[in-house]
Coordinates of all heavy atoms in Angstrom, one line a residue:
S75 N 5.6 0.3 8.4 CA 7.0 0.5 8.5 C 7.2 1.1 9.9 O 6.3 1.3 10.7 CB 7.6 1.5 7.5 OG 7.0 2.8 7.7
E76 N 8.5 1.5 10.2 CA 8.8 2.1 11.5 C 7.9 3.2 11.9 O 7.5 3.4 13.1 CB 10.2 2.7 11.5 CG 11.3 1.7 11.8 CD 12.6 2.4 12.1 OE1 12.9 3.5 11.6 OE2 13.4 1.9 12.9
R77 N 7.5 4.1 10.9 CA 6.7 5.2 11.3 C 5.3 5.2 10.6 O 4.5 6.1 11.0 CB 7.4 6.5 10.8 CG 8.6 6.8 11.6 CD 9.4 8.1 11.0 NE 10.6 8.3 11.7 CZ 10.7 9.0 12.8 NH1 9.6 9.7 13.3 NH2 11.8 9.2 13.5
D78 N 5.0 4.3 9.7 CA 3.8 4.4 9.0 C 2.8 3.2 9.3 O 3.3 2.0 9.4 CB 4.1 4.3 7.5 CG 4.9 5.5 7.0 OD1 4.9 6.5 7.7 OD2 5.4 5.5 5.8
T79 N 1.6 3.5 9.4 CA 0.6 2.5 9.7 C -0.7 2.7 8.8 O -1.1 3.8 8.6 CB 0.2 2.5 11.2 OG1 1.3 2.1 12.0 CG2 -1.0 1.7 11.5
L80 N -1.2 1.6 8.4 CA -2.4 1.6 7.6 C -3.6 1.6 8.6 O -3.6 0.7 9.5 CB -2.4 0.4 6.7 CG -3.5 0.3 5.6 CD1 -3.3 1.4 4.6 CD2 -3.5 -1.1 4.9
V81 N -4.5 2.5 8.4 CA -5.7 2.6 9.3 C -7.0 2.7 8.5 O -6.9 3.1 7.3 CB -5.6 3.7 10.3 CG1 -4.4 3.6 11.2 CG2 -5.6 5.1 9.6
K82 N -8.1 2.3 9.2 CA -9.4 2.5 8.5 C -9.7 4.0 8.4 O -9.4 4.8 9.4 CB -10.5 1.8 9.3 CG -10.3 0.3 9.2 CD -11.4 -0.3 10.1 CE -11.1 -1.8 10.1 NZ -11.9 -2.5 11.2
R83 N -10.2 4.5 7.3 CA -10.6 5.9 7.2 C -11.8 6.1 8.1 O -12.8 5.4 8.1 CB -11.0 6.2 5.8 CG -11.3 7.7 5.6 CD -11.7 7.9 4.1 NE -11.4 9.3 3.7 CZ -10.7 9.6 2.7 NH1 -10.3 8.7 1.8 NH2 -10.4 10.9 2.4
V84 N -11.7 7.1 9.0 CA -12.8 7.5 9.9 C -13.1 9.0 9.8 O -12.2 9.8 9.4 CB -12.6 7.1 11.4 CG1 -12.4 5.6 11.6 CG2 -11.4 7.9 11.9
Q85 N -14.3 9.3 10.2 CA -14.6 10.7 10.4 C -14.4 10.9 11.9 O -15.1 10.2 12.7 CB -16.0 11.0 10.0 CG -16.5 12.4 10.2 CD -18.0 12.5 10.1 OE1 -18.8 11.6 10.6 NE2 -18.5 13.5 9.3
I86 N -13.4 11.7 12.3 CA -13.1 11.9 13.7 C -14.3 12.6 14.5 O -14.8 13.6 14.0 CB -11.8 12.7 13.9 CG1 -10.6 11.8 13.5 CG2 -11.6 13.2 15.4 CD1 -10.2 10.7 14.5
V87 N -14.7 12.0 15.6 CA -15.7 12.7 16.4 C -14.9 13.8 17.2 O -13.9 13.5 17.8 CB -16.3 11.7 17.4 CG1 -17.3 12.4 18.4 CG2 -17.0 10.5 16.7
P88 N -15.3 15.0 17.0 CA -14.5 16.1 17.6 C -14.5 16.3 19.1 O -14.8 17.3 19.6 CB -15.0 17.4 16.8 CG -16.4 17.0 16.5 CD -16.5 15.6 16.3
L89 N -14.3 15.1 19.8 CA -14.3 15.1 21.2 C -13.0 14.5 21.7 O -12.7 13.4 21.2 CB -15.5 14.3 21.8 CG -16.9 14.8 21.6 CD1 -17.9 13.8 22.1 CD2 -17.1 16.1 22.5
E90 N -12.3 15.1 22.6 CA -11.2 14.5 23.3 C -11.7 13.9 24.6 O -12.3 14.6 25.4 CB -10.1 15.4 23.5 CG -9.5 16.0 22.2 CD -8.2 16.7 22.2 OE1 -7.6 16.8 23.3 OE2 -7.7 17.0 21.1
V91 N -11.5 12.6 24.7 CA -12.1 11.9 25.9 C -10.9 11.7 26.9 O -9.9 11.1 26.5 CB -12.7 10.6 25.6 CG1 -13.3 9.9 26.8 CG2 -13.7 10.7 24.4
I92 N -11.0 12.2 28.1 CA -9.9 12.0 29.1 C -10.4 11.2 30.2 O -11.4 11.5 30.8 CB -9.4 13.4 29.5 CG1 -8.7 14.1 28.3 CG2 -8.4 13.2 30.7 CD1 -8.4 15.5 28.5
I93 N -9.7 10.1 30.5 CA -10.0 9.3 31.6 C -8.8 9.4 32.6 O -7.7 9.5 32.2 CB -10.0 7.8 31.2 CG1 -11.1 7.5 30.1 CG2 -10.2 6.9 32.4 CD1 -12.5 7.3 30.7
R94 N -9.2 9.5 33.9 CA -8.2 9.7 35.0 C -8.4 8.7 36.0 O -9.5 8.4 36.5 CB -8.3 11.1 35.6 CG -8.1 12.2 34.6 CD -8.3 13.6 35.3 NE -8.4 14.6 34.3 CZ -7.4 15.3 33.8 NH1 -6.2 15.1 34.3 NH2 -7.6 16.3 32.9

Side-chain angles (χ1 to χ4, degrees):
S75 70
E76 274 196 329
R77 289 177 185 271
D78 295 347
T79 292
L80 191 65
V81 299
K82 293 178 186 162
R83 185 182 207 128
V84 297
Q85 180 191 45
I86 288 285
V87 177
L89 289 173
E90 298 197 352
V91 184
I92 292 166
I93 299 274
R94 300 177 193 270

